[in-house]
Amino acid sequence: MTQHISQEELQKIVKSVPMLSPSASQLLQITSRADHDLSDVVALVKNDANLTARVLKIVNSAAFGLVNTITSIDRGISYLGERIIVGIAVGDSAGKLFEKELSGYESAGGDLWKHDLRTAIAAREVVKQSGADISSELAFTAGLLHDIGKSLISDYLQGSVIEAVEMVSTENDLDYLDAEEKLIGFDHTRAGYELAKSWQLPDELAEVILYHHEPAKAKEEYRALVYAVHLGDNIAMMGGYGTGSDSMRYKLDQQYTDYIKIGPKTLATIMVNVDTEFEKLESSLTKSGEKN
Amino acid sequence: MGQIVLGVGDYGASNTPGEDVKTFALGSCVSVIFLDPKTRTVGMAHVALPDSTINKAKATEKPGYFADTAIPALLTLMSKSGCDKRGKGMVVKLCGGANVMDTNDTFQIGKRNALAIKKILWSYGMGAVAEDLGKNYSRTVSISVSAGQITLSSPGKPNWQL
């Protein structure tokens, strides 16, 4: 049987999570600003010897198939793009959370990272293919972080999968968020939001974490970004990369059409691109989580 | 015992007794299953999208990815084990093709996959004798070559047969 988590307990759980590394934290701050450019990212990475080494190792890994070795960090960063640098820093810094087995969802270790990476890639593709006026790099970062709350509440959902799955039904208008709330008093978006505050993540990322299943509730200024991640999340689940028992058990907010224009053909193209990009990134980035 | 695991867009077949053909976590993807009683061959394709015209290069690289290229590819593969090239005498079963809740037309890829597959099967004079399609959960599917038995699983549900 599950028990409700009190607000105090939730705060304790959040406090027990290690802080992000200074580099990861600053990267998230800088790349969320509209007026930043790649040189800001380069300057930051250069100050962190470990991160510099990791970036060079990854850009020269087999997945990127470069003929000539890249030895300059400037070139490495511009080749990979800022989203992948953020992915490396966040993955290295919070790998344990991402790689954790989500037993409360009957989901194996590593599934969450794969789902998040899939969502990140899909959210970016959604922005690129729809031509929405949002940063596609930021959509990637937001996608990577959107489900971080599942790591926090999974242990408390242990043994609840059968009950949760039975609770979810279209007739009763209940999705898996409602099931989490009924079972432990909080859903994963709320838990993730508390962690976002503790990590002092930029507002737009915290907003995505809190509202990725209910984008209409997000602040107007961030709403398009939240919708992009909402669609990315659904695309990840449809492609077979969920996190166990909750996969496909969420509602699509059809109002996305006010912010993001995609038809069936574009969606199909997005899905193919996500598969291709995922193959490339998974092999090179996933190791970052394992080593923690 | 051996196991052939198929990823998204893969297709494969086996006539080795004791072996399983398996695919994990079908979301909106559909698993097309051919059972040939004559040669005791089992075949499966993990189809992701209905129509290959959106990306010909992908279809060449992974024919199993699209409904219209997966079925001919699977039939050709199985014909190497002595099965009929046009699927005569084969038992067809389909599963997967889930949709998220409150989906709209654009996001009903699961439904479009199933429809496209049925249309192509029809053109071969084939049709599914059993199907477990749609709804809003992911499915893992495993076929035992010896028994020709198809077992489905999904977290929070008891396993079931197709």
Side-chain angles (χ1 to χ4, degrees), chain A residues 109-144:
Chain A
D111 281 358
L112 178 63
W113 174 249
K114 285 181 197 165
H115 168 69
D116 286 341
L117 188 57
R118 259 331 249 213
T119 303
I121 296 167
R124 175 168 179 262
E125 277 297 317
V126 162
V127 173
K128 285 176 69 180
Q129 299 292 334
S130 68
D133 188 20
I134 323 163
S135 156
S136 61
E137 303 288 292
L138 187 57
F140 182 96
T141 303
L144 210 53

Side-chain angles (χ1 to χ4, degrees), chain B residues 20 70 152 159:
Chain B
D20 285 334
L152 287 116
N159 292 357

Side-chain angles (χ1 to χ4, degrees), chain B residues 78-93:
Chain B
M78 290 179 74
S79 72
K80 289 175 190 156
S81 310
C83 305
D84 182 77
K85 265 190 283 195
R86 296 205 40 98
K88 218 173 122 188
M90 282 190 198
V91 175
V92 183
K93 297 188 179 184

Side-chain angles (χ1 to χ4, degrees), chain A residues 21-179:
Chain A
S21 70
S23 300
S25 186
Q26 285 168 38
L27 269 172
L28 292 172
Q29 293 291 347
I30 288 175
T31 55
S32 294
R33 284 187 214 133
D35 61 352
H36 78 284
D37 61 41
L38 205 60
S39 65
D40 301 323
V41 175
V42 172
L44 211 150
V45 174
K46 277 184 170 167
N47 267 324
D48 183 331
N50 285 330
L51 186 55
T52 301
R54 289 275 298 140
V55 169
L56 288 174
K57 194 176 165 200
I58 285 172
V59 74
N60 291 306
S61 68
F64 292 96
L66 293 176
V67 180
N68 298 312
T69 306
I70 289 184
T71 52
S72 123
I73 187 66
D74 300 66
R75 278 195 58 214
I77 291 171
S78 76
Y79 183 83
L80 290 174
E82 72 173 46
R83 70 187 181 286
I84 296 180
I85 309 303
V86 173
I88 295 168
V90 170
D92 282 359
S93 173
K96 268 190 189 154
L97 280 187
F98 287 110
E99 291 292 329
K100 188 177 157 164
E101 178 190 348
L102 302 182
S103 47
Y105 299 85
E106 289 187 8
S107 188
D111 281 358
L112 178 63
W113 174 249
K114 285 181 197 165
H115 168 69
D116 286 341
L117 188 57
R118 259 331 249 213
T119 303
I121 296 167
R124 175 168 179 262
E125 277 297 317
V126 162
V127 173
K128 285 176 69 180
Q129 299 292 334
S130 68
D133 188 20
I134 323 163
S135 156
S136 61
E137 303 288 292
L138 187 57
F140 182 96
T141 303
L144 210 53
L145 292 165
H146 79 287
D147 259 352
I148 198 70
K150 284 185 187 169
S151 270
L152 272 57
I153 65 167
S154 169
D155 290 351
Y156 299 85
L157 287 167
Q158 258 180 35
S160 73
V161 162
I162 294 174
E163 202 182 337
V165 160
E166 281 172 359
M167 240 183 252
V168 175
S169 87
T170 313
E171 292 78 40
N172 297 331
D173 199 32
L174 295 176
D175 67 1
Y176 216 91
L177 276 192
D178 300 312

Side-chain angles (χ1 to χ4, degrees), chain A residues 184-232:
Chain A
I184 57 167
F186 279 104
D187 63 47
H188 70 271
T189 63
R190 184 61 205 280
Y193 181 69
E194 295 299 327
L195 182 60
K197 282 200 292 189
S198 162
W199 277 356
Q200 299 182 313
L201 294 184
D203 273 359
E204 41 274 80
L205 296 179
E207 201 79 353
V208 167
I209 291 169
L210 184 57
Y211 292 124
H212 66 271
H213 290 296
E214 301 162 298
K217 290 187 183 169
K219 285 180 198 141
E220 175 64 36
E221 54 187 312
Y222 306 138
R223 207 172 292 155
L225 176 71
V226 180
Y227 269 110
V229 175
H230 175 65
L231 296 187

